[in-house]
Amino acid sequence: MSRFNLIDEPWIPVRFLDGTRAELNLRDALLRAKDIAVIEDASPLVVAALHRFLLAVLYRALEGPTDIDQAKGWFKSGLPAENINAYLEQWRPRFWLFDERAPFFQIPDFEPKKWNAWTVLAAEHNANNAKVLFDHIDVTQPGDISASKAVRWVLAIQTFTLGGGNSELRYTKGAPSTKTAMFLPLGRNLEDTLLFCLVPQNRAVLAQDLPVWEREAETLVSLKSGVERGISGYADRYTWRARSIRLRGDEAGNVSALAFASGVENASKDSLDPMLAYRVDKDKGRLPIQFRERGLWRDYDSLMPDDARLAPAVIEHAAALTRLNRERFPQSVMALGLANNPRIEAKIEFWRMERFALPQALLGDRSIHIRSEIRQLLGDAEETQKALWQASRTFACDLLSRGGRDPDKKDVSNFVQQMPASASYWSQLEAAFHDTLHHYTLERDADYIRHDWLKTVRAVLRDVWAQHAASVSTGDAWATRALVRAEGAIGKQLRALNDEIQKYERHHNPQEETA
């Protein structure tokens, strides 16, 4: 018996423009997108996966966009409700979550050797690779979850599942875009956000770009021997069957257990994801920007479009749509994703959601230069941090050499890591960087922005080192000597910053003097 159709049942969590919250069905989430502020869920992975799912539906329902002109037409008139309704009715049988023949995103005849608890779907509750503090769910007796939660987590695990581990089917690696930072330019409502992300594809690609519900499910025989194919387009990528799943539901429609194993291997390793930013490695070529322990803001320049086409295509598309409609330009971009342990492939280290301002100057004539301008600001910060690190290392070496000891390199490194100077430096600069992004307007000159940034970097360096100096006991002659010797690197960098600041002041002759 077919139960819980995604088109009719509420399962997509949203916040409306008036601040109220609700869960909507698939049809209403698309047709009422102008009234919705954002998709809102406690999990960043669910938020990203839901956007990608809605985009896959739109690519198929609208059969486009095939070019920027078509995209601009929808941006002006809104999403075509007639096309969306017709498509959903056409494929209604494929959106049943529980169905004997074609359950949504599942392998209908998958009878596993062992049924897994529902917790295997959720990074927040999966004790196998991501047990977190304050999660008190017992994975041996987790109970059950609602169908709405189950479908959200199915989409999230298909988008972000990692490689590694064991499987009763043929082993496959992680999802095509897992371990990356995915970027979403946020519009004034959900409709704008979706239209920003609906990057055009040519007609030939669109014709073959089938999402998972338009494909026949792979057979168990083929999955056991191994299924590998290339990605045909964005809808295919956004609904890739990275894992073979079958939910076991009860009469009330809740899910307590599931079959879970490897899925389809991606053969298109070099195909690009429009939500990702890239960098070029001299040995490995084009690589996606990832979340790391250091703040993602330090890679912010990778979001800015330029001739290299390494920025997220969704940001380039958003700028193209709003160039003549500036009041609808996305004021911010959201970054979502996870990071794994590089030594243990299947172990999740953290998942994250961050938000950044988008410079309005992207709409102006110097848009292709903003990437290099922001890279210069970040380079100023990195260069100054090197001086701070050198000073910290000198201090550590001198302090640990008390009594004629030759300190071990590991001891010096550990001492520097426990010093708060570097963490404080980056923390203060991160807040300042977010403020600086708001200065990238169409009217503001880039030289003035860098002049102010250099003054901020200088002030933060002075403040951080002053805090460190204050923490050193003045009664300890050895520590005082170590501090004095270490200050040489700080002084040298302050002089370099002063020289650079004075160049701008002599050229532009601003009213304020160098501090």
Side-chain angles (χ1 to χ4, degrees), residues 56 60-61 87 90-91 94 209-216:
R60 298 302 293 165
Y87 179 80
Q90 178 186 357
W91 290 99
R94 295 298 180 90
D209 184 18
L210 303 182
V212 68
W213 55 86
E214 289 192 37
R215 298 176 182 272
E216 292 300 322

Side-chain angles (χ1 to χ4, degrees), residues 168-216:
E168 62 182 272
L169 303 180
R170 178 70 176 267
Y171 172 80
T172 56
K173 296 179 182 178
S177 296
T178 190
K179 300 186 295 184
T180 64
M182 295 182 182
F183 297 96
L184 289 169
L186 298 176
R188 60 182 182 177
N189 53 38
L190 178 60
E191 182 173 85
D192 276 9
T193 298
L194 293 173
L195 288 169
F196 290 152
C197 297
L198 210 60
V199 177
Q201 300 184 94
N202 69 52
R203 293 184 186 277
V205 171
L206 280 166
Q208 304 299 319
D209 184 18
L210 303 182
V212 68
W213 55 86
E214 289 192 37
R215 298 176 182 272
E216 292 300 322

Side-chain angles (χ1 to χ4, degrees), residues 39-41 43-51 184 334 336 353:
I39 292 174
E40 196 167 72
D41 191 272
S43 169
L45 310 185
V46 168
V47 172
L50 289 178
H51 281 89
L184 289 169
M334 186 161 55
L336 313 104
M353 177 190 294

Side-chain angles (χ1 to χ4, degrees), residues 392-422:
S392 299
R393 189 178 185 281
T394 300
F395 177 79
C397 284
D398 284 351
L399 198 65
L400 294 176
S401 65
R402 187 193 298 260
R405 175 185 173 220
D406 185 14
D408 184 79
K409 289 183 178 179
K410 185 177 291 187
D411 292 339
V412 173
S413 178
N414 290 338
F415 190 97
V416 171
Q417 287 182 11
Q418 61 85 32
M419 290 174 63
S422 185

